[in-house]
Amino acid sequence: MGNRPAPIGGVPRVRLGELREGGLAPAVAAIVERGVRRRPAHAAAVIAVVELRVQGPYPPVRVTFQGAEITVEDGPASAADIRIEGELTDLISMMVAPTVGGLPSPMNARGRVALGMVASRRVRVRGRVGLMRRLLAIVKT
């Protein structure tokens, strides 16, 4: 994947790619787009491929951050920089937990719950921890 320049003073474009029946890409794209609008500089600085695997009948969701453009689509990532897997409710809890330094805050009950989900392996993260911190900084509510 080539590095595209980050937008100058603009907001990265979030677009939907391939969609599959029963896929969650449109919902994930809405969450990503909201975060990108709130933190465009953070989003523009990320060059990575993320794979989200939600337990159940859902296909995986691939999010490709390329500076000026972010593509969200249903389907596995062949070479993900980070893979995140868990129940839908647990993944949402991770996104809404208050953060400190890009990680769920141990000073807040919701943050402690989110940290517990990772510690108990209800939410599994494989890949660069620093990237997880940057992603949470983008999508947190």
Side-chain angles (χ1 to χ4, degrees), residues 17-127:
E18 179 183 339
L19 300 177
R20 295 186 181 171
E21 188 172 330
L24 298 173
V28 172
I31 293 166
V32 170
E33 188 167 33
R34 179 177 183 269
V36 167
R37 281 195 317 264
R38 294 177 75 188
R39 297 172 191 85
H42 283 86
V46 175
I47 305 294
V49 178
V50 178
E51 181 181 276
L52 299 173
R53 287 195 171 265
V54 178
Q55 294 173 356
Y58 312 105
V61 176
R62 180 176 54 250
V63 184
T64 306
F65 290 84
Q66 298 175 304
E69 184 171 276
I70 301 163
T71 304
V72 182
E73 54 195 334
D74 293 316
S78 59
D81 295 294
I82 189 167
R83 287 185 166 85
I84 305 165
E85 182 177 351
E87 293 281 342
L88 183 59
T89 54
D90 293 340
L91 295 176
I92 291 170
S93 292
M94 290 288 294
M95 288 187 273
V96 300
T99 59
V100 172
L103 294 173
S105 173
M107 306 302 278
N108 178 283
R110 289 184 301 163
R112 287 190 298 274
V113 168
L115 288 170
M117 286 187 283
V118 174
S120 68
R121 303 208 24 91
R122 283 176 54 182
V123 172
R124 289 168 297 291
V125 179
R126 283 178 251 131

